[in-house]
């Protein structure tokens, strides 16, 4: 568990301590901006992968349907072919 540091009273705040607080605030803002960029990148990649998966599922369904058509055509051709001669 983290403990919060003891707060400095406003009257006792030195210029150096104030500068340090501003530095921490600036760093926190930079970190937040970086996290936002990472989040947006990840969301974009996720959507790209999701779309690629959907496209692959469509291609797979189309290919499976074509295989069934070819199998049916082959069955018809095989039914028309003469049997082996004894």
């Amino acid at each position: 568990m983290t403990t919060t540091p003891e707060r400095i009273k406003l009257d006792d705040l030195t210029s150096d301590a104030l500068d340090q607080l501003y530095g921490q605030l600036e760093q926190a803002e930079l970190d937040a901006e970086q996290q936002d960029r990472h989040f947006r990148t990840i969301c974009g990649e996720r959507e790209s992968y999701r779309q690629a998966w959907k496209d692959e599922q469509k291609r797979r369904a189309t290919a499976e349907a074509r295989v069934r058509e070819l199998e049916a055509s082959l069955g018809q051709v095989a039914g028309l072919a003469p049997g082996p001669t004894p």
Side-chain angles (χ1 to χ4, degrees):
M1 182 161 80
T2 61
T3 59
T4 56
E6 192 173 314
R7 289 184 174 225
I8 300 172
K9 293 181 182 177
L10 188 56
D11 292 338
D12 296 336
L13 190 62
T14 65
S15 178
D16 290 340
L18 184 59
D19 288 343
Q20 184 180 10
L21 289 174
Y22 276 118
Q24 290 173 353
L25 176 61
E26 184 177 325
Q27 185 60 50
E29 288 171 344
L30 292 172
D31 291 346
E33 289 174 8
Q34 184 179 27
Q35 292 299 323
D36 182 61
R37 284 192 303 273
H38 286 308
F39 176 76
R40 291 179 189 278
T41 299
I42 290 168
C43 287
E45 289 175 355
R46 179 183 172 269
E47 186 57 34
S48 175
Y49 290 137
R50 183 176 173 267
Q51 186 60 47
W53 181 83
K54 289 172 86 175
D55 292 344
E56 180 62 27
Q57 294 304 311
K58 287 179 186 176
R59 284 192 295 272
R60 173 178 271 167
T62 301
E64 288 174 352
R66 182 68 178 135
V67 166
R68 285 191 296 275
E69 289 173 8
L70 292 172
E71 286 173 340
S73 295
L74 183 60
Q76 289 175 351
V77 170
L80 297 175
T85 55

